Amino acid sequence: MTILPTETHILIFPFPAQGHMMPLLDLTHKLATHGLTITILITPKNLPFLNPLLSLHPSIKTLVLHFPTHSSIPSGVENVKDMPSNPVHIITMIRILAELRDPLLRWFKSHPSPPVAIISDMFLGWTNHLARQLNIRRIVFSPSGAMALSVIYSLWRDMPKRNQNELVSFSRIPNSPEFPWFQISTIYRTYVEGGTDSEFIKDAFCANLASWGLVVNSFTELEGVYLDHLKKEFGHHDHVWAVGPLFPHPGPSSVPVDDVLTWLDRCEDNKVVYVCFGSQTSLTNDQMEQLASSLGRSRVKFIWCIREEEHVRGYNLIPSGFEDRMAGRGLIIRGWAPQVLILSHPAVGAFLTHCGWNSVLEGLAAGVPMLAWPMGADQFVNASLLVDKLKVAVRACEGATTVPNWEELARVIKESVSENRVNRERVQKLSSVAVDAIKDGGGSSVKGLEMLVQNLVKLKLKSSDL
Ligand SMILES: O=c1ccn([C@@H]2O[C@H](COP(=O)(O)OP(=O)(O)O[C@H]3O[C@H](CO)[C@@H](O)[C@H](O)[C@H]3O)[C@@H](O)[C@H]2O)c(=O)[nH]1
């Protein structure tokens, strides 16, 4: 019996944070291109994020479920981007989404041809329990890289405690990485044995490990050793698929995209520093002041994207008069910048980044050397991959609360666009490897995606046999 991809129905369940949603939506686009029948679970306020995807694939259905209410999430907020940048809020978001379990269960039970698998974000581990109850498969989607995911899994499985030398060692992971305690993800560091939220999160990560499959936004040529490690840890060797780099689809920008590109067109190649800390991170006003001083004194051209977070005082304040003083030399974007377009412009010579995994992949794919300022989550692991292993970045600063010294930062920024940059050639080589990985007709991630599709179609075949 042959099953067509269109007869295979899957449910996509993104976690509502830009850095998690956007790569999963690109994966969804690729799965739809392979002909699968897809439903995406979304809450009302996040629905507009699907517009670019739905206009490309009108056949994709949405399952819109009301966002659960919670005393610490203001009414109307349904996405991490609208919450203050604090890991506590992410934990609340992870916890509260589990309340969608019952409505989701009812939807499955009433659907004439329900999905045979759920592909859900790694922050939605509870969906594995639901999938078991429904006798279907759950596939974890990791928006983080394979090295970072190896560290995350290792933490929740082995539960290392804070020790005297403040160093956590991961001896089973290739190259035995070690990280100081403060660089370990806050979600793990704030774990309290027996605590309701903590035990829920622990159970969710263990459920990820027990899931049927794993899709990673990475590619073999970049993280092969860590992908192999995950395959061993995961137990199902052939159920780990690397499909990256995945990219965000063009969405709304806070400034006219043409204005930004025209501004860049007027700059010399490789001379502009692009500064952006992702969709969740805000700088304190002290950090803003030092960063502004270092950009100002370094005399480089720059684009600085600053997250808009109107409701939080003490953050994201641009020093008075700075913008006027920098007119012509620096472009400040408040809100959302067209990051992928900026990075791929030849004028951009360096990227000061918090090392969120999407930014890392976008910087690599564009062949732009990076200045690493990891702040939290998986970013210290990503920074160590970039700086120590791949040697395509240098350290600029580290820590969410660290106030950099402007002179030191100005020096690093200035050097990043100087003539004698050492790591530009290396990152440009990696860029072509990244592009090859997603090239039709043999790219490693294209093959990964095909294997994933085949496995999903086989699931339908098995369910039809029952
Ligand atoms: O003005 C902006 C700001 C961001 N982006 C895009 O937003 C994404 C940001 O993702 P990422 O760089 O990964 O940062 P975060 O938003 O901080 O992502 C969270 O999710 C990532 C994936 O798990 C983790 O690696 C990070 O540590 C975590 O903070 C990227 O695609 C950017 O291109 C824009 O297009 N314009």
Side-chain angles (χ1 to χ4, degrees), residues 207-222:
N208 282 342
L209 269 166
S211 292
W212 180 78
L214 168 66
V215 178
V216 188
N217 182 15
S218 189
F219 53 104
T220 313
E221 295 79 358
L222 181 72

Side-chain angles (χ1 to χ4, degrees), residues 302-428:
F302 64 88
I303 295 183
W304 183 6
C305 177
I306 299 168
R307 187 181 173 216
E308 235 160 7
E309 211 185 355
E310 285 160 18
H311 48 292
V312 183
R313 278 167 190 243
Y315 289 87
N316 296 332
L317 186 72
I318 304 167
S320 147
F322 178 73
E323 219 170 337
D324 291 340
R325 285 198 303 280
M326 293 302 119
R329 176 150 77 82
L331 187 64
I332 293 180
I333 300 176
R334 284 190 192 76
W336 198 253
Q339 175 159 308
V340 173
L341 283 178
I342 292 175
L343 284 171
S344 51
H345 194 285
V348 175
F351 178 17
L352 174 57
T353 168
H354 69 318
C355 302
W357 186 244
N358 297 286
S359 293
V360 165
L361 290 178
E362 291 158 17
L364 285 180
V368 177
M370 284 167 264
L371 304 175
W373 181 353
M375 310 255 181
D378 54 356
Q379 298 150 18
F380 289 97
V381 182
N382 301 341
S384 97
L385 182 74
L386 289 177
V387 177
D388 306 324
K389 188 161 184 288
L390 303 173
K391 303 192 190 323
V392 294
V394 292
R395 287 195 166 82
C397 187
E398 55 180 21
T401 53
T402 307
V403 180
N405 168 291
W406 74 258
E407 272 182 299
E408 178 52 19
L409 191 54
R411 185 189 60 74
V412 177
I413 287 175
K414 199 170 174 177
E415 264 174 26
S416 74
V417 285
S418 68
E419 292 307 325
N420 50 356
R421 274 311 301 267
V422 280
N423 43 23
R424 177 157 299 124
E425 213 172 295
R426 243 187 317 264
V427 72
Q428 282 172 352

Side-chain angles (χ1 to χ4, degrees), residues 178-397:
E178 290 185 332
F179 295 94
W181 179 254
F182 84 93
Q183 296 187 356
I184 299 295
S185 140
T186 318
I187 298 185
Y188 180 75
R189 276 189 288 132
T190 50
Y191 168 81
V192 180
E193 197 172 344
T196 319
D197 283 356
S198 290
E199 292 304 340
F200 175 84
I201 302 269
K202 179 179 174 189
D203 178 73
F205 276 103
C206 294
N208 282 342
L209 269 166
S211 292
W212 180 78
L214 168 66
V215 178
V216 188
N217 182 15
S218 189
F219 53 104
T220 313
E221 295 79 358
L222 181 72
E223 290 201 292
V225 286
Y226 303 108
L227 287 161
D228 286 345
H229 170 75
L230 285 172
K231 286 177 184 168
K232 270 191 244 138
E233 292 292 287
F234 208 65
H236 312 283
H237 228 264
D238 47 355
H239 286 177
V240 176
W241 302 282
V243 298
L246 298 165
F247 293 115
H249 290 202
S253 160
S254 300
V255 279
V257 173
D258 285 346
D259 290 1
V260 180
L261 296 180
T262 309
W263 190 89
L264 282 167
D265 286 343
R266 285 196 217 109
C267 304
E268 262 181 79
D269 281 5
N270 296 325
K271 288 293 176 203
V272 175
V273 178
Y274 171 61
V275 182
C276 182
F277 302 105
S279 66
Q280 297 173 26
T281 303
S282 292
L283 296 191
T284 64
N285 292 345
D286 287 346
Q287 291 171 322
M288 292 287 291
E289 210 170 305
Q290 294 298 312
L291 176 52
S293 291
S294 55
L295 287 168
R297 313 272 182 111
S298 65
R299 308 211 158 275
V300 300
K301 289 202 154 197
F302 64 88
I303 295 183
W304 183 6
C305 177
I306 299 168
R307 187 181 173 216
E308 235 160 7
E309 211 185 355
E310 285 160 18
H311 48 292
V312 183
R313 278 167 190 243
Y315 289 87
N316 296 332
L317 186 72
I318 304 167
S320 147
F322 178 73
E323 219 170 337
D324 291 340
R325 285 198 303 280
M326 293 302 119
R329 176 150 77 82
L331 187 64
I332 293 180
I333 300 176
R334 284 190 192 76
W336 198 253
Q339 175 159 308
V340 173
L341 283 178
I342 292 175
L343 284 171
S344 51
H345 194 285
V348 175
F351 178 17
L352 174 57
T353 168
H354 69 318
C355 302
W357 186 244
N358 297 286
S359 293
V360 165
L361 290 178
E362 291 158 17
L364 285 180
V368 177
M370 284 167 264
L371 304 175
W373 181 353
M375 310 255 181
D378 54 356
Q379 298 150 18
F380 289 97
V381 182
N382 301 341
S384 97
L385 182 74
L386 289 177
V387 177
D388 306 324
K389 188 161 184 288
L390 303 173
K391 303 192 190 323
V392 294
V394 292
R395 287 195 166 82
C397 187

